Amino acid sequence: MANSSLGIYIDDGLIKYAKVQKTKDSTKNDNFKVEAFNVVFYENLERELNKIISETGSSKIPISVNLSNEMYNYFEVISLMQKKDRAQSIKIDFETLCDEKGYNANDLEARYLLRESESNTDKLTAIHVSVEKDEINKIANALVGKKVSSVRPITTSIINLIDIDEKENVVIVNLEKETKVTTIVDGMISKIDILQAGMKDILSAIKETENSERKAYEVCKNTTIYTQGTDVLDADENEHLEEIMPVLYNIVQQTKEIIEDCPATIHKIFITGLGSTINNIDLYFQEYAVNSKCEILRPFFLENTTMNTSFNDYIE
């Protein structure tokens, strides 16, 4: 029996989506097939979502959507606390933080993940994620009547795309308009960082001459960046390097600092998102991360599926 689902990633003026079908073979193993996928730029969110759902035949299947503009905080709790007392302690810490920063805690929806504290064996660290309820309502209003099964931040759900050993430490650099870095230690999320630099800086700079964000994105896809040993690049095909390279350098340096600050050795760096389509991006990261292997994030199920198009298109 085949089960399909639609994953939608919404960013500022941009939507990426993929419809995936899961079946079981004769040995009860899961097989995956990508039925439809695309990157689109939109002006009216609700209209574009309805178009995608209609064109992919997804009106009656589960839909997963990302959260945007979420905030991350970290609170420590005593590990021996009862579950309800632990939840109350985290709630009080968050409300205190909101008072300090002038936020209204009632306007925010919050969830958290627990991990062992890196500094105190008697405590747990709560990775606390919060988002304005208006952000959730915006998604809900745009998908009224649709079968929305989950609304989650990409930083925590993206680890489902890779198959890592529980003792393997990795960093996932998600190069979207806003760069988000997820650090995974011993198979569990350890930290989430939001960087100041992102693809929004590159796209907006290129858009000034190309007059279209879509064209700016196509420029990035057709650009090959400089790395050690790179042959002379075609100037006509790489005329926007001056807009691209300073931002990427900033991202790489911030990522390097995150890795150096991590108490555990990072074995791999996975690169994904809009920026992963820039040619040589993995080689560029590798030059600055000599102790970690850098590669483009390849969803685990692509290993077991027949690819009807190029790998780069799937990654996009």
Side-chain angles (χ1 to χ4, degrees), residues 252-298:
V252 166
Q253 291 302 315
Q254 291 183 62
T255 302
K256 185 179 177 183
E257 290 177 7
I258 291 170
I259 293 172
E260 291 174 347
D261 289 341
C262 183
T265 300
I266 299 300
H267 304 117
K268 282 186 181 180
I269 300 173
F270 290 103
I271 303 162
T272 187
L274 288 175
S276 66
T277 59
I278 299 174
N279 298 310
N280 284 353
I281 186 72
D282 52 337
L283 301 180
Y284 183 67
F285 267 77
Q286 189 68 73
E287 290 180 355
Y288 293 90
V290 293
N291 296 319
S292 306
K293 181 182 178 182
C294 298
E295 59 186 75
I296 303 298
L297 190 153
R298 181 188 182 107

Side-chain angles (χ1 to χ4, degrees), residues 183-308:
T183 301
I184 302 168
V185 175
D186 292 338
M188 297 184 64
I189 295 176
S190 173
K191 189 181 179 187
I192 296 168
D193 291 277
I194 300 178
L195 308 189
Q196 295 299 314
M199 287 298 293
K200 64 180 183 300
D201 304 303
I202 293 175
L203 294 176
S204 61
I206 298 175
K207 184 181 176 182
E208 290 185 7
T209 54
E210 298 295 333
N211 300 316
S212 163
E213 193 168 58
R214 180 70 194 183
K215 289 182 180 179
Y217 176 52
E218 292 297 331
V219 165
C220 291
K221 289 176 59 180
N222 292 316
T223 295
T224 300
I225 59 176
Y226 290 104
T227 59
Q228 291 181 6
T230 302
D231 294 333
V232 177
L233 300 179
D234 189 321
D236 292 335
E237 294 182 358
N238 295 278
E239 59 179 312
H240 290 284
L241 284 175
E242 61 183 19
E243 287 99 340
I244 295 173
M245 295 308 297
V247 178
L248 289 184
Y249 179 78
N250 193 353
I251 292 171
V252 166
Q253 291 302 315
Q254 291 183 62
T255 302
K256 185 179 177 183
E257 290 177 7
I258 291 170
I259 293 172
E260 291 174 347
D261 289 341
C262 183
T265 300
I266 299 300
H267 304 117
K268 282 186 181 180
I269 300 173
F270 290 103
I271 303 162
T272 187
L274 288 175
S276 66
T277 59
I278 299 174
N279 298 310
N280 284 353
I281 186 72
D282 52 337
L283 301 180
Y284 183 67
F285 267 77
Q286 189 68 73
E287 290 180 355
Y288 293 90
V290 293
N291 296 319
S292 306
K293 181 182 178 182
C294 298
E295 59 186 75
I296 303 298
L297 190 153
R298 181 188 182 107
F300 73 91
F301 55 80
L302 290 186
E303 303 288 348
N304 303 318
T305 188
T306 300
M307 297 176 64
N308 298 320

Side-chain angles (χ1 to χ4, degrees), residues 165-176:
D165 186 272
E166 63 179 16
K167 293 299 181 183
E168 191 173 29
N169 307 324
V170 307
V171 161
I172 303 175
V173 183
N174 194 25
L175 291 166
E176 298 292 356

